[in-house]
Amino acid sequence: MIQKCLFPAAGYGTRFLPATKATPKEMLPVLTKPLIQYGVEEAVEAGLNTMAIITGRGKRAIEDHFDISYELEHQIKGSSKEPLLDEIRSLINQCTFSYTRQVEMKGLGHAILTGETLIGNEPFAVILADDLCTNGHDSVLKQMLEVYEKYQCSIIAIEEVPKEETYKYGVIAGNLVDNTNDTYRVTDMVEKPDPKEAPTNMAIIGRYILTPDIFDILRETKPGKGGEIQITDALLEQAKKGKVIAYKFHGQRFDCGSVDGFVEATNYFYNRMEA
Ligand code: G1P
C-alpha cells in the first residue's frame, strides 16, 4: 500500500514575482485555497495520509498552513466564520506532515532525492502542486494508484499537448499495453525537447508514482537539461528496463505555474462554485 506523497515545493516561483517575493508560490490561492492544499486533498482522496514536503528558504508559510492556529481558532470560535476552517482542519486531523529543506536548487530530480530521508524504502507518490488537476470522479492520483496496482512499477501521468509546446514538458514515447487506449509502456523520454526533436506530443504532467530504486538512480544521474538533475532522466533508466508506465489520465489539468493557467483554474473553480 502506498501511503506517502512527496511535494517538491522549494522552487522560487519567479514567474509570479513580485507575489512570490515573500510568499511561497504553493501558497498562492485559487479562490480561497492555496495551491498546495488542492494537492494534499488529492492525495488524501487517493487514500494517502503521510505528506512529505520539500521546502526551502522562505517557505515557512506552508508549515504554518498545515498546523493549528490557536489564536485564530479562538477568535472565530462560535462565529459564522468557523466553518471556513473545516476543510483544512480535517486535513490536519487525517494526515501527518513532515518537511525537509532542499538547500540548493539543483532541479526536480535533486528535490525528489532530498526527500529520500522522509520516504525511505517504499514506493511513493509525487505531486507537483503547480499542476492543479480535477476530475468529477476519481482524482488523477487515485486513477494512477489503480494502474500501479496492476503493473507494480513507476507510473507517470501524461497528456497530449500541442506539438509546439513540447519544450515546456518531459515528453515520452511508448507502446500501448494490454488492449488499453490510455496506458503505455515507456520506451523513451526526453526533458523539454525542441518540438522538432520531440518523439511525440505526449507530455508528462506533475503526478508520479515512483518505486524507491529511483533514489539510487538519482544519485548517479548527471545534470541534464538546464544544468539540473532531472527526474525524467532518472526515469529513463527505469524505462530502459520496461519499468515505467505512462497513463493518459481522465480529467483536467491547469498549469498553475503560468499566469494564464492560474487564471483559467480560478475561473473554472469560480464557475463551479456558482453552479
Ligand atoms: C517538471 C518536469 C517535466 C514535467 C513538468 C510537469 O518541469 O521536469 O518533465 O513535464 O514538471 O509540470 P517544470 O514544470 O517543473 O519545469
Side-chain angles (χ1 to χ4, degrees):
M1 269 287 283
I2 296 187
Q3 283 179 337
K4 295 182 180 170
C5 188
L6 189 74
F7 292 82
Y12 296 123
T14 47
R15 271 188 277 178
F16 282 87
L17 282 171
T20 47
K21 191 165 170 246
T23 303
K25 67 171 174 174
E26 297 77 13
M27 290 300 294
L28 297 178
V30 169
L31 304 187
T32 54
K33 228 173 356 186
L35 269 181
I36 193 161
Q37 187 175 333
Y38 288 90
V40 171
E41 284 174 358
E42 182 179 334
V44 169
E45 203 232 294
L48 279 54
N49 59 9
T50 307
M51 308 301 151
I53 305 184
I54 310 301
T55 66
R57 285 176 292 282
K59 301 281 186 168
R60 274 273 305 279
I62 299 176
E63 294 179 44
D64 289 339
H65 185 69
F66 294 110
D67 196 357
I68 297 198
S69 167
Y70 285 103
E71 197 177 326
L72 178 65
E73 303 259 342
H74 177 74
Q75 280 291 331
I76 67 173
K77 198 170 174 50
S79 81
S80 60
K81 302 272 168 55
E82 201 177 356
L84 297 176
L85 288 179
D86 284 352
E87 277 182 334
I88 182 71
R89 271 196 198 140
S90 136
L91 285 185
I92 294 169
N93 287 337
Q94 289 177 73
C95 313
T96 62
F97 295 86
S98 47
Y99 301 86
T100 192
R101 278 195 183 198
Q102 188 185 8
V103 176
E104 288 177 282
M105 301 302 127
K106 293 195 203 160
L108 179 58
H110 180 256
I112 292 174
L113 180 57
T114 305
E116 182 180 20
T117 176
L118 303 175
I119 299 294
N121 187 27
E122 55 187 277
F124 61 101
V126 177
I127 289 184
L128 306 185
D130 275 1
D131 279 332
L132 179 46
C133 292
T134 162
N135 185 31
H137 302 285
D138 291 346
S139 70
V140 175
L141 199 57
K142 195 165 180 186
Q143 297 168 40
M144 291 171 72
L145 285 172
E146 279 171 29
V147 179
Y148 175 79
E149 284 308 311
K150 187 158 174 201
Y151 296 98
Q152 302 280 324
C153 66
S154 290
I155 314 291
I156 56 183
I158 54 164
E159 170 176 270
E160 288 191 43
V161 298
K163 192 86 196 244
E164 62 274 16
E165 288 184 16
T166 55
Y167 70 94
K168 296 184 191 168
Y169 302 94
V171 175
I172 68 123
N175 303 318
L176 279 169
V177 287
D178 297 348
N179 299 321
T180 59
N181 59 10
D182 53 14
T183 312
Y184 299 79
R185 196 167 296 277
V186 175
T187 53
D188 194 14
M189 47 203 308
V190 196
E191 179 65 10
K192 304 199 172 92
D194 188 276
K196 287 197 277 306
E197 273 131 44
T200 67
N201 68 336
M202 293 194 286
I204 304 169
I205 65 125
R207 299 289 180 280
Y208 306 77
I209 292 173
L210 301 174
T211 52
D213 54 307
I214 200 74
F215 294 126
D216 282 339
I217 301 173
L218 279 168
R219 257 186 283 282
E220 300 297 320
T221 303
K222 301 270 175 307
K225 191 85 182 183
E228 297 188 330
I229 297 174
Q230 300 292 351
I231 188 65
T232 306
D233 294 341
L235 278 162
L236 178 59
E237 294 307 309
Q238 292 185 329
K240 284 179 187 161
K241 298 184 183 123
K243 295 281 188 192
V244 181
I245 294 286
Y247 170 66
K248 207 185 279 177
F249 68 95
H250 301 273
Q252 202 174 347
R253 173 195 68 112
F254 299 99
D255 172 16
C256 290
S258 75
V259 174
D260 286 348
F262 205 97
V263 172
E264 261 176 61
T266 303
N267 287 333
Y268 173 88
F269 284 98
Y270 184 70
N271 290 331
R272 234 175 46 157
M273 192 177 74
E274 283 190 319

Coordinates of all heavy atoms in Angstrom, one line a residue, residues 4-68:
K4 N 2.7 7.4 1.2 CA 3.4 8.7 1.3 C 3.3 9.5 0.0 O 3.4 8.9 -1.1 CB 4.9 8.5 1.7 CG 5.0 7.9 3.1 CD 6.5 7.7 3.5 CE 6.6 7.1 4.8 NZ 8.0 6.7 5.2
C5 N 3.2 10.7 0.2 CA 3.1 11.6 -1.0 C 4.2 12.7 -0.8 O 4.1 13.4 0.2 CB 1.7 12.2 -1.2 SG 1.6 13.1 -2.8
L6 N 5.0 12.9 -1.8 CA 6.1 13.9 -1.8 C 5.6 15.1 -2.6 O 5.1 15.0 -3.7 CB 7.3 13.3 -2.4 CG 8.6 14.0 -2.3 CD1 9.2 13.9 -0.8 CD2 9.7 13.5 -3.2
F7 N 5.9 16.3 -2.0 CA 5.5 17.5 -2.6 C 6.8 18.4 -2.8 O 7.2 19.0 -1.8 CB 4.5 18.3 -1.8 CG 3.2 17.7 -1.7 CD1 2.9 16.7 -0.8 CD2 2.2 18.1 -2.6 CE1 1.6 16.1 -0.8 CE2 0.9 17.6 -2.5 CZ 0.6 16.6 -1.6
P8 N 7.4 18.4 -3.9 CA 8.6 19.3 -4.1 C 8.0 20.7 -4.1 O 7.2 21.1 -4.9 CB 9.1 18.9 -5.5 CG 8.6 17.5 -5.7 CD 7.2 17.5 -5.1
A9 N 8.5 21.5 -3.2 CA 7.9 22.9 -3.0 C 9.0 23.9 -2.7 O 8.8 24.8 -1.9 CB 6.8 22.9 -2.0
A10 N 10.2 23.7 -3.3 CA 11.3 24.5 -2.9 C 11.6 25.6 -3.9 O 12.3 26.6 -3.7 CB 12.6 23.7 -2.7
G11 N 10.9 25.5 -5.1 CA 11.3 26.4 -6.2 C 10.9 27.9 -5.9 O 10.2 28.2 -5.0
Y12 N 11.5 28.8 -6.6 CA 11.4 30.2 -6.3 C 10.1 30.8 -6.9 O 9.7 31.9 -6.4 CB 12.6 31.0 -7.0 CG 13.9 30.7 -6.4 CD1 14.9 30.2 -7.2 CD2 14.1 30.8 -5.0 CE1 16.2 29.9 -6.7 CE2 15.4 30.5 -4.5 CZ 16.4 30.0 -5.3 OH 17.6 29.7 -4.8
G13 N 9.5 30.2 -7.8 CA 8.2 30.8 -8.4 C 8.4 32.1 -9.1 O 7.6 33.1 -8.9
T14 N 9.5 32.2 -9.8 CA 9.9 33.5 -10.4 C 8.8 34.1 -11.4 O 8.7 35.3 -11.6 CB 11.2 33.5 -11.2 OG1 11.2 32.3 -12.0 CG2 12.4 33.4 -10.2
R15 N 8.1 33.2 -12.0 CA 7.0 33.7 -12.9 C 5.9 34.5 -12.2 O 5.2 35.1 -12.9 CB 6.4 32.5 -13.7 CG 7.3 32.2 -15.0 CD 6.6 31.2 -15.8 NE 6.9 29.9 -15.4 CZ 6.4 28.8 -16.0 NH1 5.6 28.9 -17.0 NH2 6.8 27.6 -15.5
F16 N 5.9 34.4 -10.9 CA 4.8 35.1 -10.2 C 5.4 36.2 -9.4 O 4.7 36.7 -8.5 CB 4.0 34.1 -9.3 CG 3.0 33.4 -10.2 CD1 3.4 32.2 -10.8 CD2 1.7 33.9 -10.4 CE1 2.5 31.5 -11.6 CE2 0.8 33.2 -11.2 CZ 1.2 32.0 -11.8
L17 N 6.6 36.6 -9.7 CA 7.1 37.8 -8.9 C 6.3 39.1 -9.4 O 5.9 39.1 -10.5 CB 8.6 38.0 -9.3 CG 9.6 37.1 -8.6 CD1 11.0 37.2 -9.1 CD2 9.6 37.4 -7.1
P18 N 6.1 40.0 -8.5 CA 6.6 40.1 -7.1 C 5.8 39.3 -6.1 O 6.2 39.3 -4.9 CB 6.5 41.6 -6.8 CG 5.3 42.0 -7.6 CD 5.3 41.2 -8.9
A19 N 4.6 38.6 -6.5 CA 3.8 38.0 -5.5 C 4.6 37.0 -4.7 O 4.3 36.8 -3.5 CB 2.6 37.3 -6.2
T20 N 5.6 36.3 -5.3 CA 6.3 35.2 -4.7 C 7.6 35.7 -4.0 O 8.4 34.9 -3.7 CB 6.6 34.1 -5.7 OG1 7.2 34.8 -6.9 CG2 5.4 33.4 -6.1
K21 N 7.7 37.0 -3.8 CA 8.9 37.5 -3.2 C 9.0 37.0 -1.8 O 10.1 36.5 -1.3 CB 8.9 39.0 -3.3 CG 10.3 39.6 -2.9 CD 10.3 41.1 -3.3 CE 11.6 41.7 -2.6 NZ 11.3 42.7 -1.6
A22 N 7.9 37.1 -1.0 CA 8.0 36.7 0.4 C 6.9 35.6 0.6 O 6.8 35.2 1.8 CB 7.7 37.9 1.3
T23 N 6.2 35.2 -0.4 CA 5.2 34.2 -0.2 C 5.5 33.0 -1.1 O 5.7 33.1 -2.3 CB 3.8 34.7 -0.7 OG1 3.5 35.9 0.1 CG2 2.7 33.7 -0.5
P24 N 5.5 31.8 -0.6 CA 5.8 30.6 -1.4 C 4.7 30.5 -2.5 O 3.5 30.8 -2.3 CB 5.6 29.4 -0.5 CG 5.6 29.9 0.9 CD 5.2 31.4 0.8
K25 N 5.2 30.1 -3.7 CA 4.2 30.1 -4.8 C 3.1 29.0 -4.5 O 2.0 29.1 -5.0 CB 4.9 29.8 -6.2 CG 5.5 28.5 -6.3 CD 5.9 28.2 -7.7 CE 6.7 26.9 -7.8 NZ 7.1 26.4 -9.1
E26 N 3.5 28.0 -3.8 CA 2.5 27.0 -3.4 C 1.4 27.5 -2.6 O 0.4 26.8 -2.4 CB 3.2 25.8 -2.7 CG 4.2 25.1 -3.5 CD 5.6 25.8 -3.6 OE1 5.8 26.8 -2.9 OE2 6.4 25.4 -4.5
M27 N 1.6 28.7 -2.0 CA 0.5 29.3 -1.1 C -0.4 30.3 -1.9 O -1.3 30.8 -1.3 CB 1.2 30.0 0.1 CG 1.8 29.0 1.1 SD 0.6 27.9 1.8 CE -0.4 29.0 2.7
L28 N -0.1 30.5 -3.2 CA -1.0 31.4 -3.9 C -2.3 30.7 -4.0 O -2.5 29.5 -4.3 CB -0.4 31.6 -5.3 CG 0.9 32.3 -5.4 CD1 1.4 32.4 -6.9 CD2 0.9 33.7 -4.8
P29 N -3.4 31.5 -3.7 CA -4.7 30.8 -3.7 C -5.4 30.8 -5.0 O -5.4 31.8 -5.8 CB -5.5 31.7 -2.7 CG -4.9 33.1 -2.9 CD -3.5 32.9 -3.3
V30 N -6.1 29.7 -5.3 CA -7.1 29.6 -6.3 C -8.4 29.7 -5.6 O -8.7 28.8 -4.8 CB -7.0 28.3 -7.1 CG1 -8.2 28.1 -8.1 CG2 -5.7 28.3 -8.0
L31 N -9.1 30.8 -5.8 CA -10.2 31.2 -4.9 C -9.6 31.4 -3.5 O -8.7 32.1 -3.3 CB -11.4 30.3 -4.9 CG -12.0 30.0 -6.3 CD1 -13.3 29.2 -6.2 CD2 -12.2 31.3 -7.1
T32 N -10.1 30.6 -2.5 CA -9.7 30.8 -1.1 C -8.7 29.8 -0.6 O -8.4 29.8 0.6 CB -10.9 30.9 -0.2 OG1 -11.6 29.7 -0.4 CG2 -11.8 32.1 -0.4
K33 N -8.3 28.9 -1.5 CA -7.5 27.7 -1.0 C -6.1 27.8 -1.7 O -6.0 27.9 -2.9 CB -8.2 26.4 -1.4 CG -8.3 25.5 -0.3 CD -9.1 24.2 -0.5 CE -9.8 24.0 -1.8 NZ -10.6 22.8 -1.7
P34 N -5.0 27.7 -0.9 CA -3.7 27.7 -1.6 C -3.5 26.4 -2.4 O -4.0 25.3 -2.1 CB -2.7 27.7 -0.4 CG -3.5 27.4 0.8 CD -4.9 27.6 0.5
L35 N -2.7 26.6 -3.5 CA -2.5 25.5 -4.5 C -2.1 24.2 -3.8 O -2.6 23.2 -4.2 CB -1.3 25.9 -5.3 CG -1.5 26.7 -6.6 CD1 -0.2 26.9 -7.3 CD2 -2.5 25.9 -7.5
I36 N -1.2 24.3 -2.8 CA -0.7 23.0 -2.2 C -1.8 22.3 -1.5 O -1.8 21.1 -1.4 CB 0.5 23.3 -1.3 CG1 1.2 21.9 -1.0 CG2 0.2 24.1 -0.1 CD1 2.6 22.0 -0.6
Q37 N -2.8 23.0 -1.0 CA -3.9 22.3 -0.3 C -4.7 21.5 -1.3 O -5.2 20.4 -0.9 CB -4.8 23.4 0.4 CG -5.9 22.6 1.3 CD -6.7 23.6 2.1 OE1 -6.3 24.7 2.5 NE2 -7.9 23.2 2.4
Y38 N -4.9 22.0 -2.5 CA -5.6 21.2 -3.5 C -4.8 19.8 -3.7 O -5.4 18.8 -3.9 CB -5.6 21.9 -4.9 CG -6.6 23.0 -4.9 CD1 -6.2 24.3 -4.6 CD2 -7.9 22.8 -5.3 CE1 -7.1 25.4 -4.7 CE2 -8.8 23.9 -5.4 CZ -8.4 25.1 -5.1 OH -9.3 26.2 -5.1
G39 N -3.5 20.0 -3.7 CA -2.6 18.8 -3.9 C -2.8 17.8 -2.8 O -2.9 16.6 -3.0
V40 N -2.8 18.3 -1.5 CA -2.9 17.5 -0.4 C -4.3 16.8 -0.4 O -4.4 15.6 -0.1 CB -2.6 18.2 0.9 CG1 -3.0 17.4 2.2 CG2 -1.2 18.7 1.0
E41 N -5.3 17.5 -0.7 CA -6.6 17.0 -0.8 C -6.7 15.8 -1.8 O -7.3 14.8 -1.6 CB -7.7 18.0 -1.2 CG -8.0 18.9 0.0 CD -8.9 20.1 -0.3 OE1 -9.3 20.3 -1.5 OE2 -9.2 20.9 0.6
E42 N -6.0 16.0 -2.9 CA -6.0 14.9 -3.9 C -5.3 13.7 -3.4 O -5.8 12.6 -3.6 CB -5.2 15.4 -5.2 CG -5.2 14.4 -6.3 CD -4.5 14.8 -7.6 OE1 -4.5 16.1 -7.8 OE2 -4.0 14.0 -8.3
A43 N -4.2 13.9 -2.7 CA -3.5 12.7 -2.1 C -4.4 12.0 -1.1 O -4.5 10.8 -1.1 CB -2.2 13.2 -1.4
V44 N -5.1 12.8 -0.2 CA -6.0 12.2 0.8 C -7.1 11.4 0.1 O -7.5 10.3 0.5 CB -6.5 13.3 1.7 CG1 -7.6 12.7 2.6 CG2 -5.4 13.8 2.6
E45 N -7.6 12.0 -1.0 CA -8.7 11.3 -1.7 C -8.3 10.0 -2.2 O -9.0 9.0 -2.3 CB -9.2 12.2 -2.8 CG -10.7 11.9 -3.2 CD -10.8 11.7 -4.7 OE1 -10.6 12.7 -5.4 OE2 -11.1 10.6 -5.1
A46 N -7.0 9.9 -2.6 CA -6.4 8.7 -3.1 C -6.0 7.7 -2.0 O -5.5 6.7 -2.2 CB -5.2 9.0 -4.0
G47 N -6.3 8.1 -0.7 CA -6.0 7.2 0.4 C -4.6 7.4 1.0 O -4.2 6.6 1.9
L48 N -3.9 8.4 0.7 CA -2.6 8.6 1.2 C -2.7 9.6 2.4 O -3.5 10.5 2.4 CB -1.6 9.3 0.2 CG -1.0 8.3 -0.8 CD1 -2.0 7.5 -1.5 CD2 -0.1 9.1 -1.8
N49 N -1.9 9.3 3.5 CA -2.0 10.1 4.7 C -0.7 10.7 5.2 O -0.7 11.3 6.3 CB -2.8 9.3 5.8 CG -2.1 8.1 6.1 OD1 -0.9 7.9 5.7 ND2 -2.7 7.2 6.9
T50 N 0.4 10.4 4.5 CA 1.7 10.9 5.0 C 2.2 11.8 4.0 O 2.6 11.4 2.9 CB 2.6 9.7 5.3 OG1 1.9 8.8 6.1 CG2 3.9 10.2 5.9
M51 N 2.3 13.1 4.3 CA 2.7 14.1 3.3 C 4.2 14.5 3.7 O 4.5 14.9 4.8 CB 1.8 15.4 3.4 CG 0.4 15.1 3.3 SD -0.1 14.3 1.8 CE -1.6 13.4 2.3
A52 N 5.0 14.4 2.7 CA 6.4 14.7 2.8 C 6.7 15.9 1.9 O 6.5 15.9 0.7 CB 7.3 13.5 2.4
I53 N 7.1 17.0 2.5 CA 7.1 18.3 1.7 C 8.6 18.8 1.7 O 9.2 18.9 2.7 CB 6.2 19.3 2.3 CG1 4.7 18.7 2.4 CG2 6.2 20.6 1.5 CD1 3.7 19.7 2.9
I54 N 9.1 19.0 0.5 CA 10.4 19.5 0.3 C 10.3 21.1 0.2 O 9.7 21.6 -0.8 CB 11.1 19.0 -1.0 CG1 10.9 17.5 -1.1 CG2 12.5 19.4 -1.1 CD1 11.6 16.7 0.0
T55 N 10.9 21.7 1.2 CA 10.8 23.2 1.2 C 12.1 23.8 1.0 O 13.1 23.1 0.8 CB 10.2 23.7 2.6 OG1 11.1 23.3 3.6 CG2 8.8 23.0 2.9
G56 N 12.2 25.1 1.1 CA 13.5 25.8 1.0 C 13.3 27.1 1.9 O 12.3 27.2 2.6
R57 N 14.3 27.9 1.7 CA 14.2 29.2 2.5 C 13.0 30.0 2.0 O 12.6 29.9 0.9 CB 15.5 30.0 2.2 CG 16.7 29.5 2.9 CD 17.9 30.3 2.5 NE 18.3 30.1 1.1 CZ 19.0 29.0 0.6 NH1 19.3 28.1 1.5 NH2 19.3 28.9 -0.6
G58 N 12.3 30.6 3.0 CA 11.2 31.4 2.7 C 9.9 30.7 2.5 O 8.9 31.2 2.0
K59 N 9.8 29.4 3.0 CA 8.7 28.6 2.8 C 7.9 28.3 4.0 O 7.1 27.4 4.1 CB 9.1 27.3 2.1 CG 9.7 27.5 0.7 CD 8.7 27.8 -0.4 CE 9.4 27.8 -1.7 NZ 8.5 27.8 -2.8
R60 N 8.2 29.0 5.1 CA 7.6 28.7 6.4 C 6.1 28.7 6.4 O 5.5 28.0 7.1 CB 8.1 29.7 7.4 CG 9.4 29.4 8.1 CD 9.2 28.5 9.3 NE 8.3 29.1 10.3 CZ 8.7 30.0 11.2 NH1 9.9 30.5 11.2 NH2 7.8 30.5 12.0
A61 N 5.5 29.6 5.5 CA 4.0 29.7 5.5 C 3.4 28.3 5.2 O 2.3 28.1 5.7 CB 3.6 30.7 4.5
I62 N 4.1 27.4 4.5 CA 3.5 26.1 4.2 C 3.3 25.3 5.5 O 2.3 24.7 5.7 CB 4.4 25.4 3.2 CG1 4.5 26.1 1.8 CG2 3.8 23.9 2.9 CD1 5.4 25.5 0.8
E63 N 4.4 25.4 6.3 CA 4.3 24.6 7.6 C 3.2 25.2 8.5 O 2.4 24.5 9.1 CB 5.6 24.7 8.3 CG 6.7 23.9 7.5 CD 8.1 24.0 8.2 OE1 8.1 23.8 9.4 OE2 9.1 24.2 7.5
D64 N 3.1 26.5 8.5 CA 2.1 27.1 9.4 C 0.7 26.8 8.8 O -0.3 26.7 9.6 CB 2.3 28.7 9.4 CG 3.5 29.0 10.2 OD1 4.0 28.2 11.0 OD2 4.1 30.1 10.0
H65 N 0.5 26.7 7.5 CA -0.8 26.4 7.0 C -1.3 25.0 7.4 O -2.5 24.9 7.7 CB -0.7 26.5 5.4 CG -2.1 26.3 4.8 ND1 -3.0 27.3 4.9 CD2 -2.6 25.3 4.1 CE1 -4.1 26.9 4.2 NE2 -3.9 25.7 3.7
F66 N -0.4 24.1 7.5 CA -0.8 22.7 7.9 C -0.6 22.5 9.4 O -0.1 21.5 9.8 CB -0.1 21.7 7.0 CG -0.5 21.7 5.6 CD1 0.4 22.1 4.6 CD2 -1.8 21.4 5.2 CE1 0.1 22.2 3.3 CE2 -2.1 21.4 3.8 CZ -1.2 21.9 2.9
D67 N -1.0 23.5 10.1 CA -0.8 23.4 11.6 C -2.0 24.2 12.2 O -2.7 24.9 11.4 CB 0.5 24.1 12.0 CG 0.9 23.7 13.4 OD1 0.1 23.0 14.1 OD2 2.0 24.1 13.9
I68 N -2.3 24.0 13.4 CA -3.4 24.7 14.1 C -2.9 26.2 14.4 O -1.8 26.4 14.9 CB -3.8 24.0 15.3 CG1 -4.3 22.6 14.9 CG2 -4.9 24.8 16.1 CD1 -5.2 21.9 15.8

